[in-house]
Amino acid sequence: MNVLVLGGGGREHALAWKLRQSPSVRGLFALPGNDGMAQIATLVPGNPAEADTVAAACRKHGIDLVVVGPEAPLAAGIVDALQLQKIPVFGPSRAAAQLEASKIFAKRFMERHGVPTAAFRVCDSAGEARQALSAFSYPVVLKADGLAAGKGVVLPNNREEALAAIEGFFSGALVGAAGRRIVIEEFLQGPEVSLLALCDGSRWFTLPPAQDHKRVFDNDQGPNTGGMGAYSVDALLTHEQLQAIESEVVQRTLRAMERDGTPFAGVLYCGLMMTTSGPKVLEYNVRFGDPETQAIMLRLEGDLAEMLASAAQGRINPGVLHISPEPSACVVLASEGYPGVFQSGIPIHGLSAVDGSNGAVVFHSGTTRLRPQGLAEAETAEWYTSGGRVLSVASRGVTLIDALQRCYAGAAKIQFKGAHYRRDIGARAARMNG
Ligand code: AMP
Ligand code: GLY
């Protein structure tokens, strides 16, 4: 097969890395990809949300399977557009992508079909939201309806903070149009787990559970980021918990989407809170998680491309992929100042010392080979930073501790000015499970 990956972040690099190892893959392409991915795939310029651009690239390169990374193209209907042109694509239709694109859609769907989730109210105006607050205790959870690139959730600790957030949403100041309708919901407690299932419309293949670390600093301090690291270990869920999630969340969601006439194919990402009264869905995503994917891919053995192609054809073949019992982890190296203002074009050193050595792999998110203008000759490097999250180091290990040590040993070899990363990725789970 010739396979085209849409997107250009660390998640897409990790997908491309695994697809490259798939025996069924001949040519591997990425649109737009990134310079790190260029080491294993042919880059095709363009915007992955523009269906005409993507379809033209598919014809030009004889693409047999498109794998969609980010949510924006899915919400814009890239899958519907490619299917119309008979181009096989792994991902949900625009209608099915509503599970992520609209929190209101997702909450009403879960309520209608008995998928466990936090109690909630939908609010269409600031006045309605202010009134609805009295039905909740603090902390409370306020969520923008629309896609907000990880900035759409606020957790006010008191009424004053909640009123300020309501003002921020409905004025458009917080997340623009995405916040003109909101969901207020009950605050849930418990460990968070991401469970991703590869779906073909009615059946699914469960990927190993993972946990990401969203706050920028150790011990979950500081502002939220796009994800500072993740790990995957089976011990995140007991057998009973996994069974409960599969039957009450994954299966129930797939059956209901079928009944509603919008069958779900693609990655069903269940963001879960493991509460004392069972798993509850915090959010659905309709795509691979970033950075969970960078950890999860390390645990997959077999032919990912064949698996995704079979799912895209509506007859998932679970036999072509299996999951290693060995845990994995990934540590994200970020630019100074991220998630706030940061500089780009900073030389990166030591990358070649990591790639492949000691089982650790580097996935690029915000790097470039383009030498910044005006850089002194003496500062020239092979790689430069070009984003907030620059790259991640991922590894598998005999134990989670082993996987983490390999990641951190790799991270320590990579240097760029102002680089920072969390030192406690997976630390709690490692203390508990070794
Ligand atoms: P999201 O941007 O939807 O991934 O949500 C961001 C984070 O907000 C989640 O990862 C949770 O940590 C937190 N969160 C969302 N919903 C709730 C809830 N009902 N109770 C407690 N925390 C929540
Ligand atoms: N890691 C969370 C997400 O991809 O949305």
Side-chain angles (χ1 to χ4, degrees):
M1 283 187 279
N2 289 329
V3 179
L4 173 67
V5 176
L6 297 186
R11 160 184 54 206
E12 287 79 14
H13 191 176
L15 286 168
W17 175 81
K18 196 70 224 172
L19 290 166
R20 180 76 278 172
Q21 296 170 7
S22 299
S24 65
V25 171
R26 187 176 56 210
L28 185 61
F29 300 82
L31 187 158
N34 63 42
D35 283 357
M37 294 168 77
Q39 300 169 105
I40 53 171
T42 304
L43 301 192
V44 183
N47 176 351
E50 277 171 15
D52 291 346
T53 309
V54 176
C58 290
R59 281 190 298 273
K60 179 171 174 196
H61 299 290
I63 297 300
D64 303 293
L65 175 68
V66 177
V67 178
V68 189
E71 59 274 22
L74 296 167
I78 190 76
V79 168
D80 313 60
L82 294 179
Q83 281 174 345
L84 271 181
Q85 306 205 31
K86 304 268 182 285
I87 299 167
V89 50
F90 178 73
S93 67
R94 182 187 168 135
Q98 286 298 300
L99 282 180
E100 174 169 359
S102 166
K103 300 263 192 226
I104 296 174
F105 175 92
K107 293 297 286 191
R108 290 193 167 141
F109 171 90
M110 289 188 271
E111 181 177 53
R112 210 163 59 239
H113 297 290
V115 177
T117 190
F120 71 102
R121 288 274 299 274
V122 171
C123 302
D124 291 320
S125 71
E128 203 182 327
R130 282 191 292 268
Q131 234 171 21
L133 276 183
S134 51
F136 294 88
S137 51
Y138 293 92
V140 69
V141 185
L142 270 53
K143 298 185 173 182
D145 177 46
L147 291 178
K151 299 194 179 69
V153 178
V154 246
L155 307 169
N157 284 307
N158 52 54
R159 189 170 165 88
E160 288 63 47
E161 286 177 21
L163 292 174
I166 287 170
E167 172 61 24
F169 277 130
F170 286 95
S171 68
L174 267 181
V175 292
R180 294 289 159 85
R181 301 179 78 200
I182 69 168
V183 173
I184 303 184
E185 70 179 45
E186 161 203 16
F187 182 84
L188 299 175
Q189 275 173 302
E192 274 186 66
V193 176
S194 308
L195 192 82
L196 284 64
L198 308 175
C199 306
D200 72 357
S202 55
R203 283 158 307 167
W204 74 93
F205 178 90
T206 308
L207 293 174
Q211 192 170 59
D212 82 350
H213 295 60
K214 285 211 170 87
R215 303 295 194 105
V216 67
F217 300 128
D218 286 11
N219 301 314
D220 294 327
Q221 301 297 306
N224 264 322
T225 69
M228 293 299 290
Y231 66 96
S232 170
V233 60
D234 288 341
L236 269 170
L237 296 172
T238 64
H239 183 68
E240 290 70 32
Q241 286 176 317
L242 182 60
Q243 276 193 326
I245 297 167
E246 294 210 37
S247 66
E248 292 166 28
V249 179
V250 180
Q251 178 167 347
R252 219 169 267 181
T253 301
L254 291 186
R255 293 290 166 273
M257 289 297 276
E258 268 185 298
R259 277 203 305 276
D260 286 355
T262 53
F264 189 94
V267 183
L268 184 68
Y269 169 130
C270 307
L272 302 155
M273 194 72 96
M274 304 306 298
T275 74
T276 47
S277 49
K280 295 198 178 178
V281 176
L282 294 176
E283 61 161 351
Y284 291 114
N285 291 322
V286 299
R287 49 164 176 87
F288 287 99
D290 190 333
E292 289 97 326
T293 303
Q294 290 88 313
I296 290 172
M297 287 301 127
L298 272 286
R299 296 190 60 191
L300 301 188
E301 286 170 357
D303 198 321
L304 177 65
E306 188 63 41
M307 163 65 77
L308 301 185
S310 70
Q313 287 157 3
R315 42 176 186 80
I316 200 163
N317 180 359
V320 294
L321 201 60
H322 79 265
I323 292 165
S324 162
E326 290 190 353
S328 64
C330 108
V331 174
V332 173
L333 277 66
S335 296
E336 183 170 13
Y338 175 81
V341 184
F342 59 86
Q343 256 192 339
S344 287
I346 295 172
I348 306 172
H349 299 285
L351 266 190
S352 54
V354 181
D355 244 342
S357 63
N358 197 24
V361 199
V362 174
F363 296 127
H364 294 237
S365 332
T367 68
T368 173
R369 289 192 121 131
L370 279 184
R371 186 168 183 275
Q373 282 186 339
L375 193 76
E377 197 66 36
E379 284 194 69
T380 297
E382 191 183 354
W383 294 95
Y384 303 92
T385 64
S386 68
R389 288 191 297 167
V390 176
L391 51 86
S392 54
V393 183
S395 184
R396 202 158 105 178
V398 182
T399 59
L400 180 56
I401 291 176
D402 181 36
L404 289 164
Q405 278 171 350
R406 289 168 193 270
C407 292
Y408 281 114
K413 291 184 189 147
I414 299 172
Q415 285 109 33
F416 57 91
K417 191 172 144 283
H420 64 97
Y421 52 90
R422 278 180 64 158
R423 313 285 159 154
D424 66 341
I425 303 301
R428 262 183 42 163
R431 275 199 299 275
M432 280 157 62
N433 305 300

